[in-house]
Amino acid sequence: MHYTGTIYRPPFEARSLLLQVTTGCSHNRCSFCTMYRDEQFRIEPMEQIEQDLEEAREYVPGVTRVFLENGDPFALSADRLEQIAVMIHEYLPKVETIAMYASIKNVIGKTDEELKRLRMLGINELNIGVESGLDEALTYMNKGYTAEQAVYELKRLRAAGIDYGANIILGSAGAALRHENAAATAALLNETNPYLIFTGTIHSDPGCPLYEDMQAGRFVESTFEEYLDEEEELLKLLDLTDCYFFGLHPSNIVVMQGNLPEDKEAMLEMIRRRREQLANRLDERPVRYGEGAVL
Ligand code: SF4
């Protein structure tokens, strides 16, 4: 298979065939993100994609799930995605789901009919960096959409039958707005019904505006206690009937996962226990390592 640039995938796509159809991210301006900073967004040629599919047919003919690379392949036009999906089914007839990273902005340009067509071709379970339901946080992160737009576009996706997993960044509104962030994010999620919620806490690496702001004290990160307050509040307010809460990213203060609503109480109990464990350090801010991992 042919890959260019840095290839990322969510942990739950470990068994999927990774098929590169774009390089970089079409937005590439989120204030916290360094993933594709040095890469120019590019569309991979169809010939290259076909060559990769020929190779995949030889080595993994029975694969059932494909994850399209890279940062937001859903930025491609509906026609282009349709061509790619048709080609995938031609070479790999057992494929049931074609997933990928996507952004709210990628949905804006697609009609309801196009979304339905893409769903019929197996495009589903988009992994979307929603990050927050609070406009102040979305503006600060430079996401390029408002909470109202996010709700509108996510509802259109859901109406077309496309499931989505929401990436949520705890602490993304800063310490002062943590309560507002929890409430607004829960409201957005409750209204748009993701099948999965992937949480992490805000952190940054050198080379992005958030890093500069944190160093200069312009963005005040939450303390352990404030992070725990926000996550507890978010979890309490979530009212979802069939959603997987995936909080295993190393940047989380509480590393946990479970089904909602069944495991909600057990997860709240884990937050309470973590609060006890950190009793002497609740007013500290996390010290971080690679990928924002918390000690
Ligand atoms: S967070 Fe996602 S949308 Fe934003 S710049 Fe990074 S890859 Fe692109």
Side-chain angles (χ1 to χ4, degrees):
M1 302 291 285
H2 148 274
Y3 299 112
T4 52
T6 319
I7 299 294
Y8 296 91
R9 59 147 177 83
F12 32 83
E13 300 289 353
R15 290 166 179 267
S16 307
L17 172 73
L18 304 182
L19 179 69
Q20 185 158 16
V21 299
T22 57
T23 296
C25 161
S26 71
H27 180 60
N28 210 13
R29 287 195 296 275
C30 295
S31 65
F32 58 88
C33 178
T34 50
M35 287 164 83
Y36 307 102
R37 283 273 154 180
D38 302 326
E39 288 171 29
Q40 193 69 30
F41 179 72
R42 206 183 65 220
I43 298 173
E44 297 297 307
M46 288 303 274
E47 300 72 36
Q48 180 64 61
I49 297 169
E50 187 156 19
Q51 271 177 30
D52 283 348
L53 286 170
E54 272 173 24
E55 199 179 316
R57 177 169 62 185
E58 200 175 322
Y59 293 103
V60 284
V63 73
T64 57
R65 187 175 175 103
V66 173
F67 188 75
L68 300 184
E69 294 288 348
N70 216 337
D72 65 339
F74 207 61
L76 294 175
S77 68
D79 284 350
R80 181 80 169 194
L81 284 167
E82 193 170 335
Q83 282 170 28
I84 292 169
V86 167
M87 202 189 274
I88 289 172
H89 293 303
E90 197 182 306
Y91 281 90
L92 301 167
K94 297 222 162 57
V95 166
E96 292 161 5
T97 304
I98 302 169
M100 70 197 86
Y101 287 124
S103 79
I104 300 295
K105 284 173 69 185
N106 301 158
V107 187
I108 290 173
K110 296 184 174 65
T111 67
D112 293 348
E113 279 317 305
E114 286 173 337
L115 293 174
K116 279 185 202 148
R117 244 176 36 226
L118 294 176
R119 176 65 189 91
M120 281 172 67
L121 285 164
I123 290 181
N124 198 18
E125 298 182 3
L126 303 183
N127 190 289
I128 302 186
V130 176
E131 329 298 11
S132 166
L134 189 71
D135 280 337
E136 287 90 331
L138 294 172
T139 303
Y140 176 68
M141 287 187 280
N142 204 19
K143 292 299 297 181
Y145 54 82
T146 63
E148 191 182 351
Q149 278 176 308
V151 169
Y152 179 79
E153 299 301 337
L154 290 169
K155 280 183 163 176
R156 288 204 311 119
L157 260 193
R158 305 289 290 110
I162 298 179
D163 294 327
Y164 93 98
N167 294 337
I168 296 298
I169 305 183
L170 298 163
S172 57
L177 289 176
R178 65 191 181 281
H179 299 295
E180 289 83 349
N181 199 33
T185 303
L188 180 149
L189 295 170
N190 289 342
E191 215 175 332
T192 58
N193 210 13
Y195 81 101
L196 180 139
I197 297 172
F198 184 113
T199 58
T201 59
I202 193 139
H203 58 276
S204 65
D205 293 315
C208 67
L210 175 65
Y211 183 82
E212 303 302 323
D213 282 359
M214 282 177 139
Q215 295 298 309
R218 289 187 294 267
F219 181 92
V220 181
E221 191 189 358
S222 295
T223 60
F224 281 118
E225 182 164 40
E226 289 162 344
Y227 274 124
L228 292 169
D229 288 348
E230 185 172 331
E231 186 161 26
E232 186 173 43
E233 208 165 319
L234 172 74
L235 201 47
K236 278 184 181 164
L237 291 170
L238 285 177
D239 184 18
L240 297 165
T241 48
D242 187 15
C243 180
Y244 197 71
F245 188 96
F246 188 95
L248 299 186
H249 191 272
S251 69
N252 282 290
I253 311 300
V254 190
V255 177
M256 62 181 180
Q257 60 183 329
N259 286 307
L260 290 173
E262 302 90 312
D263 301 323
K264 188 192 245 194
E265 273 313 311
M267 288 194 284
L268 285 170
E269 179 55 29
M270 287 186 77
I271 295 175
R272 282 191 282 272
R273 267 191 264 141
R274 188 77 169 121
R275 214 183 271 278
E276 283 167 17
Q277 262 176 12
L278 289 168
N280 297 328
R281 300 173 56 203
L282 283 173
D283 57 353
E284 292 176 18
R285 297 193 163 78
V287 175
R288 300 191 184 264
Y289 294 87
E291 282 193 73
V294 174
L295 248 196

